[in-house]
Amino acid sequence: MTALTLSTAGAATLRADALVVGVAKGAGSKPGPVLAPGSEAVDKAFDGKLAAVLATLGATGAEGELTKLPAASGLKAPVVVAVGLGPVPDKEDAYDAEALRRAAGTAARALTGSKKAGFALPAASVEDAAAVAEGALLGAYAFTAYQGGENKLAPKDAKSKDSGPKLPLAEVTLLGAKPRDKAYKAAVERALALVEEINRARDLINTPPNDLYPESFAAVATAAGKEHGVKVQVLDEKALVKGGYGGILGVGQGAERGPRLVKLAYTHPKAEKTLALVGKGITYDSGGISLKPAGHNETMKCDMAGAAAVFAAVVTAARLGLKVNVTGWLALAENMPSGNATRPGDVLRMYSGKTVEVLNTDAEGRLVLADALTRASEEKPDAIVDVATLTGAMVMALGNRTFGVMANDDAFRTSIHEIAEEVGEPSWPMPLPADLRKGMDSPTADIANMGERMGGGLVAGLFLKEFVGEGIAWAHLDIAGPAFHEGAPYGYTPKGGTGSAVRTLVRLAERTAAGDLG
């Protein structure tokens, strides 16, 4: 994990591999790049001509733009990195937090392989400093666990040894903040804890399914629980059979490696509210007997991203000592075809007692979530939020960067949406139309796991709603789009697992602890 420090040093005197400054996009009579607050010392070293030099190099200040140039003689760092912040804000210093996050992330990615960089981006407020810290740490991420091993076919001499992949930026030094101010210290410590757990979730999502399966995922959760004071309970196959968890067992019965239900419980002695989080944890999804077509299997290691997000959020709440009880439920299974796999047409008796006719074994996420939702409801939490890479239909509706939010309570859905937007995770409120429920009527069971094809993401939400306890506020986050990024990295978003929804869940826990959600 990249180190994070606050420094009182000036940008001109900091010894580092690079200095990062912000550049905004001008408008009107001044369309060229406009230097953002924090860049004053660097500009002085360029005799006040840094903006002009950047303009000559083609910089405009557009968001995501990055320009490297040799440092002026008055700077200790050899390189200056100018990163675009987008349009100049209406009010001075009022840069959007997400713009700062993305700019810091862009710079951190560009400095992969460097030991230390000073970030002289706007940090006049605690919020700005936190955004820069968060973005830089999120951008300084790489999954290298399976790279750089010894090449046994290479000649046995020092020069031919595989040097391995470039490592992320080792240290981020935040300039312009106030190291001795308690609020600044708390903000960056929060950012560090939060991003460490987001990156742990990213690592889990990126881990290949031959190494990450229900039992090994449960082991990771157990170890983290011991480290951070979170109680962990793991239900194996025998316990699931004894408890009657027909949904989890039905999905996992085709795999050689059995399913698990993991409960993580963080409690605070002064907590007045309890929040339950439920995560879909399909460590590999082949589709089961309803096998996915060619070209749709390669990224299905990411189908446990919801469980990874829940796991990360509970551990983060514990590390931050939030005054709220947070319980996480990880519904873990491999969905595989075999002679023992659930068939289309089978009927499963769920933990709730309801029966489900399985019309499509590739609609498995809702089955494991249903059991976990019922179990979570038994503890009477004040609210439940489930997170899942649930439907391709949600990706069709909202694209690859936005997750859908459904709920049984409009006010709760609005709160979740607002929180997600606040922390920089694009989301959109989605309805649960009652007329779509009829499509899941079954002549054989209480309900079918499939309904109308059109509106499939909403149908899945309606299915889950059936398994939430009476009187409990519930929201469903379908993160199928943003959970796994297959394109080129951008901002602080890497290729592969993203850790989508962790920031939303953590801020929800913070709001709940503060009593802001009623």
Side-chain angles (χ1 to χ4, degrees):
M1 179 71 185
T2 299
L4 174 65
T5 58
L6 291 174
S7 177
T8 56
T13 59
L14 182 73
R15 295 187 180 276
D17 296 313
L19 289 173
V20 178
V21 297
V23 185
K25 187 174 183 178
S29 60
K30 295 182 179 180
V34 176
L35 299 180
S39 62
E40 293 83 2
V42 179
D43 185 39
K44 184 177 180 181
F46 280 84
D47 294 327
K49 299 177 180 178
L50 179 57
V53 172
L54 289 170
T56 300
L57 294 173
T60 65
E63 182 179 323
E65 182 182 80
L66 185 136
T67 307
K68 287 185 179 181
L69 65 159
S73 59
L75 302 173
K76 298 295 183 182
V79 175
V80 172
V81 177
V83 62
L85 293 167
V88 174
D90 294 333
K91 296 181 180 179
E92 188 178 359
D93 295 343
Y95 283 88
D96 178 72
E98 182 62 7
L100 293 175
R101 283 191 205 97
R102 290 179 179 174
T106 297
R109 284 193 298 102
L111 292 168
T112 296
S114 300
K115 292 182 178 179
K116 181 178 179 178
F119 280 68
L121 293 169
S125 70
V126 173
E127 293 75 18
D128 286 352
V132 173
E134 198 175 294
L137 292 173
L138 286 170
Y141 170 83
F143 184 67
T144 60
Y146 294 81
Q147 298 173 0
E150 181 185 357
N151 183 358
K152 294 183 179 181
L153 297 178
K156 299 299 181 182
D157 61 85
K159 291 184 179 180
S160 66
K161 286 183 178 178
D162 189 349
S163 60
K166 281 188 177 181
L167 297 178
L169 172 63
E171 182 180 348
V172 170
T173 299
L174 204 60
L175 303 172
K178 301 174 183 177
R180 297 183 181 87
D181 188 293
K182 290 183 179 179
Y184 278 87
K185 284 184 179 180
V188 296
E189 286 173 1
R190 176 193 182 275
L192 190 60
L194 173 65
V195 177
E196 282 182 349
E197 297 311 320
I198 290 175
N199 285 347
R200 194 205 303 255
R202 288 170 166 180
D203 284 349
L204 286 168
I205 298 165
N206 290 327
T207 299
N210 56 319
D211 282 343
L212 188 74
Y213 43 91
E215 185 178 0
S216 63
F217 195 153
V220 171
T222 299
K226 289 179 180 178
E227 181 181 357
H228 296 293
V230 176
K231 292 183 180 179
V232 181
Q233 178 186 9
V234 180
L235 300 186
D236 60 13
E237 296 107 308
K238 290 183 179 179
L240 291 170
V241 170
K242 184 177 180 180
Y245 292 87
I248 296 174
L249 288 166
V251 173
Q253 72 186 41
E256 291 187 11
R257 296 179 290 200
R260 298 288 187 273
L261 178 62
V262 179
K263 176 187 177 183
L264 304 100
Y266 160 68
T267 57
H268 192 284
K270 296 183 180 179
E272 296 181 356
K273 297 283 187 178
T274 297
L275 182 64
L277 308 177
V278 177
K280 173 188 173 183
I282 304 300
T283 56
Y284 183 74
D285 182 19
S286 69
I289 296 295
S290 305
L291 194 66
K292 292 180 183 292
H296 290 73
N297 286 286
E298 291 77 5
T299 61
M300 283 299 101
K301 64 181 181 180
C302 79
D303 214 20
M304 37 59 66
V310 166
F311 167 50
V314 175
V315 175
T316 303
R319 292 183 62 173
L320 298 179
L322 302 183
K323 293 181 182 178
V324 58
N325 297 328
V326 185
T327 302
W329 300 89
L330 315 182
L332 309 176
E334 281 187 321
N335 186 25
M336 298 292 288
S338 75
N340 196 45
T342 293
R343 298 154 292 239
D346 282 356
V347 174
L348 304 177
R349 185 169 294 278
M350 311 297 282
Y351 179 74
S352 68
K354 287 185 179 181
T355 54
V356 176
E357 182 181 10
V358 179
L359 299 181
N360 187 328
T361 64
D362 195 24
E364 85 298 330
R366 64 198 71 183
L367 299 176
V368 300
L369 287 172
D371 276 356
L373 284 167
T374 302
R375 179 64 187 87
S377 296
E378 288 182 337
E379 298 191 353
K380 305 296 183 183
D382 293 286
I384 298 176
V385 179
D386 77 72
V387 188
T389 49
L390 206 59
T391 65
M394 197 55 56
V395 184
M396 292 291 288
L398 299 178
N400 290 316
R401 298 190 182 185
T402 303
F403 63 74
V405 184
M406 287 158 260
N408 62 0
D409 180 274
D410 288 348
F412 190 47
R413 181 185 62 190
T414 298
S415 293
I416 298 289
H417 171 56
E418 290 175 349
I419 287 171
E421 294 296 311
E422 175 190 339
V423 301
E425 296 195 306
S427 71
W428 196 252
M430 303 293 284
L432 289 174
D435 61 286
L436 290 178
R437 169 61 183 85
K438 186 172 178 57
M440 290 184 285
D441 287 347
S442 165
T444 307
D446 295 323
I447 190 172
N449 77 328
M450 293 291 288
E452 294 182 27
R453 181 171 178 270
M454 299 301 175
L458 312 183
V459 170
L462 286 165
F463 180 91
L464 296 177
K465 183 181 177 184
E466 298 269 330
F467 297 88
V468 178
E470 194 70 29
I472 301 173
W474 158 78
H476 162 55
L477 313 185
D478 190 335
I479 62 170
F484 195 84
H485 179 56
E486 296 185 64
Y490 64 93
Y492 53 78
T493 301
K495 188 178 181 69
T498 64
S500 178
V502 177
R503 287 181 287 157
T504 297
L505 296 179
V506 171
R507 184 56 57 86
L508 172 64
E510 290 173 327
R511 289 271 194 95
T512 305
D516 291 345
L517 291 176

